[in-house]
Amino acid sequence: DGQRQWNVTSLTSSTQNDSIITQWNVNLQNGLAISPYLSRPASPEIQGPDTLCFKSNVVEYETAELPLGWDYLWSASGGQVSGSSNQSMISVDWDESISGNVSLVVSDNNGCSSFPASLNIFFNPLPEAAFSIVSPDYPHTGENFSFVNESTGGLIYNWNFGNGESSNAINPIEDFEEPGFYLVNLLVIDANGCRDSVRKEVQIPEELIFPDVFSPNGDGVNDVLQIQSSGMKQYSLQIFDRWGNLLFETNKPGFHWDGRTASGELVPTGTYFLLLRAEGKSKIFEKRTSVSVFY
């Protein structure tokens, strides 16, 4: 206390349960002997994952709560401790490294510190998700889209087509029953449980595609007139000759006309006129156009 003189008469040390206990035998001037003990705190235990995926950004680590007034000192090699390091739980923002380390030292009310506790961290590389889309020449409802998986390092593949449908196939095929925009997502998982994902957009337009010529000669090439329609709810088509005679009519999307009249006769070479009205999900199509027939 600054007023009494202390003399060390002996000094002994021993190790117990990873802690060093040191005893000083001291004597006051008046002959009263005391024996203070200083004990190093036991090394703490760190709880948290030690094997991570390459892009596992922020990960939490914790230890048991210490008595009031004790201190924590966390550190991380290969990462950055987020916020204060003087708490029982911390977050580490890992860099994209091959390995890392989390370390913790605790100190008691006497200022004595424990030996460091350490947790080695290992990183597994991520798989890489990738795919391409093989779509019809004129994408519309009911047509098949092929999805070609170009991922690397994957073991499990989870597809979500954005239309309520999903698949675990490697290279799935899917059609879309309504026009619109669909976000197709591929999730790839490897043998270590590491994952990567990618998404692409599929558009099914509301549209009508009109051919301008066909040849119903039975050779198997361009033998019928077919108007490609996508997402039509109501549909009405009439075909007239140049004199205004009605030759063919239908209210079915996806129809085909083989160039014959209602009596079954092939129409002669020439130009014919189409009157079409169709109602999509968001708009109405009205079209007057012509088509040429030749043999």
Side-chain angles (χ1 to χ4, degrees):
D1 59 7
Q3 297 179 356
R4 299 178 181 179
Q5 181 176 354
W6 297 70
N7 297 315
V8 177
T9 59
S10 65
L11 176 64
T12 60
S13 297
S14 63
T15 302
Q16 297 179 7
N17 299 326
D18 296 329
S19 298
I20 293 180
I21 299 175
T22 302
Q23 175 181 346
W24 286 271
N25 294 318
V26 299
N27 291 309
L28 299 179
Q29 286 182 333
N30 61 9
L32 179 63
I34 61 173
S35 299
Y37 288 86
L38 295 178
S39 176
R40 182 185 295 274
S43 295
E45 293 185 1
I46 301 175
Q47 297 178 352
D50 60 358
T51 302
L52 305 174
C53 297
F54 197 67
K55 292 183 180 178
S56 298
N57 294 323
V58 179
V59 181
E60 290 185 341
Y61 297 90
E62 62 180 331
T63 190
E65 291 281 348
L66 296 177
L68 186 65
W70 287 39
D71 292 321
Y72 310 83
L73 181 59
W74 293 88
S75 61
S77 173
Q80 180 68 39
V81 176
S82 301
S84 172
S85 65
N86 189 15
Q87 51 191 348
S88 62
M89 178 181 290
I90 55 133
S91 296
V92 178
D93 189 355
W94 292 107
D95 300 328
E96 294 186 350
S97 305
I98 297 176
S99 62
N101 178 277
V102 179
S103 179
L104 172 62
V105 173
V106 298
S107 300
D108 63 15
N109 291 322
N110 296 315
C112 294
S113 298
S114 69
F115 289 113
S118 183
L119 185 64
N120 291 323
I121 311 299
F122 301 94
F123 295 87
N124 290 313
L126 284 183
E128 184 175 349
F131 68 92
S132 59
I133 304 173
V134 179
S135 61
D137 292 336
Y138 302 104
H140 59 277
T141 55
E143 289 285 338
N144 286 334
F145 288 73
S146 297
F147 297 90
V148 181
N149 195 333
E150 299 171 345
S151 305
T152 57
L155 179 65
I156 299 173
Y157 304 99
N158 293 328
W159 296 86
N160 187 317
F161 299 106
N163 61 350
E165 300 292 330
S166 59
S167 175
N168 298 118
I170 297 176
N171 299 298
I173 296 174
E174 181 68 13
D175 60 20
F176 300 86
E177 298 300 328
E178 294 290 337
F181 292 89
Y182 298 90
L183 285 177
V184 179
N185 186 82
L186 170 60
L187 172 65
V188 179
I189 305 174
D190 69 9
N192 297 310
C194 297
R195 56 187 60 199
D196 189 30
S197 63
V198 64
R199 62 174 51 185
K200 292 185 178 182
E201 185 180 89
V202 170
Q203 179 182 4
I204 309 297
E206 286 183 330
E207 64 178 355
L208 297 167
I209 300 173
F210 292 84
D212 56 8
V213 63
F214 77 107
S215 56
N217 56 11
D219 65 356
V221 179
N222 199 24
D223 279 338
V224 297
L225 169 69
Q226 186 170 12
I227 298 175
Q228 301 288 341
S229 63
S230 178
M232 299 297 111
K233 294 183 176 180
Q234 297 184 9
Y235 189 92
S236 174
L237 173 69
Q238 295 176 313
I239 300 177
F240 301 89
D241 62 19
R242 67 178 61 191
W243 296 281
N245 298 312
L246 178 63
L247 303 177
F248 178 84
E249 64 179 337
T250 184
N251 59 5
K252 296 179 180 180
F255 83 100
H256 66 270
W257 182 45
D258 58 5
R260 297 181 181 273
T261 65
S263 62
E265 297 179 358
L266 282 172
V267 299
T269 298
T271 301
Y272 296 85
F273 301 93
L274 283 65
L275 177 61
L276 174 67
R277 187 181 190 280
E279 182 178 341
K281 186 176 182 180
S282 61
K283 58 184 177 180
I284 295 176
F285 298 84
E286 291 186 343
K287 184 77 171 180
R288 295 176 182 267
T289 187
S290 62
V291 63
S292 297
V293 175
F294 70 93
Y295 297 94

